[in-house]
Amino acid sequence: MTTNRHGWHPETTLVHSGTTRSPYGETSEAMYLTQGFVYATAEAAEARFNGDDPGFVYSRYANPTVAMFENRIAALEGAEAARATASGMAAVNLALMACCKAGDHVVAAKALFGSCRYIVETLLPRFGVSSTLVDGTDLDAWRAAIRPETVACFLESPTNPTLEVIDIAAVAEMAHAVGAKLIVDNVFATPIWQSPLSLGADIVVYSATKHIDGQGRCLGGVVLGTEEWITDEVMPFMKHTGPAMSPFNAWVMLKGLETLALRVERQTRTASRLADVLAEHPAVARLIYPGRADHPQAEVVRRQMKAGSTMLALELKGGKEAAFRASNALRIVKMSNNLGDARSLITHPATTTHQSVAEEARLELGITDGLLRLSVGLEHEDDLAADLLTALDVAHNA
Ligand SMILES: *Cc1c(COP(=O)(O)O)cnc(C)c1O
């Protein structure tokens, strides 16, 4: 992604794309806090409803502020169209629902965000859509699981929380061989470092709650794909089931997009430096960072990502006790299960985000009792390094 289809670089797209201005010519995007729209005549209303006039009808379908956000992120991603949703989970659910009907089959990588896994493993089967979970890094497992009735493959890369990296182009090729679509949850990579559509994916989903807002304020999500798929499959679902993003949240997300590249670049630079510093600490058994040469899928990272990530994971010697001691000793880094925020946030997945996952399944995913996930924020790298190293000393010297 050096330029989008208008020939702009991402930084320019993030500031300007999708903007529409009211007759007042406001500089910053207007927030259209309105449920509906009024029509000058009965004929005008009829034309809106029969599609002769493409204007707005109702904010459950579309809204001018939400449309600016959708058009801006579509331009960034190089997607034909996008629809914004109330949360990231609404986006994932929408993408899957828009692909499946009873009798269909879905294959997904088992290292999924918890609620995504619930949809695939529990919810879809209740409606007659069967699913198979595979080790996403094992291409033979995908090959064995994909069947003629498979309609969608679903993965996130890097994964939460162990930052495994899945070969998107290879899975896309296998999915397409049976006419299935590949859906990629691109939250951890961000649209700055990874463009799944250019790697062969058909649909991209985001929790905009994370890096797109980037300052921990609003929930939001977005689904991106072809104009045809969005119009024919996504829009009817949006219209009739109502997962729309609020115009207020869309306005916050638009402001977030303006600074997305700056923030993600800085957070990634800091994460990469912290990864190298923390990896040397005697309390650390294993440090996982997609930008390092010792990452298990370093070769795939080089092929499909422009840089590591704003996230890193570290496994401490001494299990849960050491992980808790280190977490409790932090002064700057806050404990929270969110990510992509301006504040650095640390979480202990085994006792929080993945507490409800059975121990055996958890260990299979590499979520050991000593594992901590760190989302690197915008603080100065020296302050973060000092805070983290002090906390690791506390864990180590107990
Ligand atoms: C947070 C997250 C989601 C869900 O997003 P919400 O906005 O919290 O609903 C889905 N996938 C991934 C990878 C996430 O990190």
Side-chain angles (χ1 to χ4, degrees), residues 87-89 92 113 116 156 185 187-188 207 209-210 219-220 339:
S87 69
M89 284 323 303
V92 170
F113 185 75
C116 299
E156 54 179 83
D185 179 337
V187 166
F188 274 54
S207 164
T209 312
K210 312 295 165 55
L219 296 178
L339 62 102

Side-chain angles (χ1 to χ4, degrees), residues 66 69-70 73 82-92 94 187 204-210 212-213 218-224 238 243-246 249-250 253:
V66 179
F69 170 66
E70 292 166 339
I73 188 143
R83 282 294 165 207
T85 55
S87 69
M89 284 323 303
V92 170
L94 173 58
V187 166
V204 178
V205 294
Y206 287 102
S207 164
T209 312
K210 312 295 165 55
I212 293 175
D213 175 326
C218 292
L219 296 178
V222 62
V223 177
L224 302 110
M238 287 287 300
M245 175 182 273
S246 90
N249 287 12
M253 297 304 177

Side-chain angles (χ1 to χ4, degrees), residues 42 50-51 55 77 86 112 116 140 168 171 203 234 254 307 315-316 336 350 353 356 367 387:
N50 71 18
E77 199 72 46
L112 285 181
C116 299
D140 290 333
I168 294 172
V171 178
I203 297 158
V234 171
L254 270 166
E315 192 179 323
L316 302 197
S336 173
T353 54
S356 63
I367 305 170
D387 195 34

Side-chain angles (χ1 to χ4, degrees), residues 163-218:
L163 309 177
E164 286 178 349
V165 171
I166 302 175
D167 188 335
I168 294 172
V171 178
E173 200 181 315
M174 286 187 265
H176 294 161
V178 297
K181 289 184 161 69
L182 174 61
I183 306 170
V184 175
D185 179 337
N186 207 37
V187 166
F188 274 54
T190 82
I192 304 302
W193 299 142
Q194 179 168 278
S195 305
L197 299 178
S198 72
L199 297 165
D202 304 280
I203 297 158
V204 178
V205 294
Y206 287 102
S207 164
T209 312
K210 312 295 165 55
H211 302 85
I212 293 175
D213 175 326
Q215 291 166 73
R217 299 162 294 195
C218 292

Side-chain angles (χ1 to χ4, degrees), residues 13-82:
T13 299
L14 284 165
V15 174
H16 291 290
S17 287
T19 305
T20 52
R21 291 193 164 86
S22 81
Y24 295 116
E26 62 281 349
T27 311
S28 176
E29 297 77 5
M31 194 197 301
Y32 293 95
L33 275 183
T34 182
Q35 300 161 341
F37 303 85
V38 295
Y39 316 103
T41 64
E43 289 77 9
E46 184 182 29
R48 284 285 168 88
F49 273 79
N50 71 18
D52 285 349
D53 172 2
F56 295 96
V57 173
Y58 193 56
S59 287
R60 171 155 34 84
Y61 307 177
N63 168 281
T65 308
V66 179
M68 286 192 256
F69 170 66
E70 292 166 339
N71 292 334
R72 185 170 297 175
I73 188 143
L76 175 70
E77 199 72 46
E80 289 178 12

Side-chain angles (χ1 to χ4, degrees), residues 260-298:
L260 179 69
L262 268 180
R263 287 184 285 106
V264 168
E265 281 166 23
R266 171 58 70 91
Q267 287 167 273
T268 301
R269 190 183 79 185
T270 306
S272 150
R273 294 189 182 168
L274 288 177
D276 291 340
V277 171
L278 302 181
E280 301 304 321
H281 195 283
V284 175
R286 186 161 80 110
L287 187 131
I288 314 166
Y289 184 66
R292 274 170 65 91
D294 62 0
H295 186 277
Q297 292 90 34

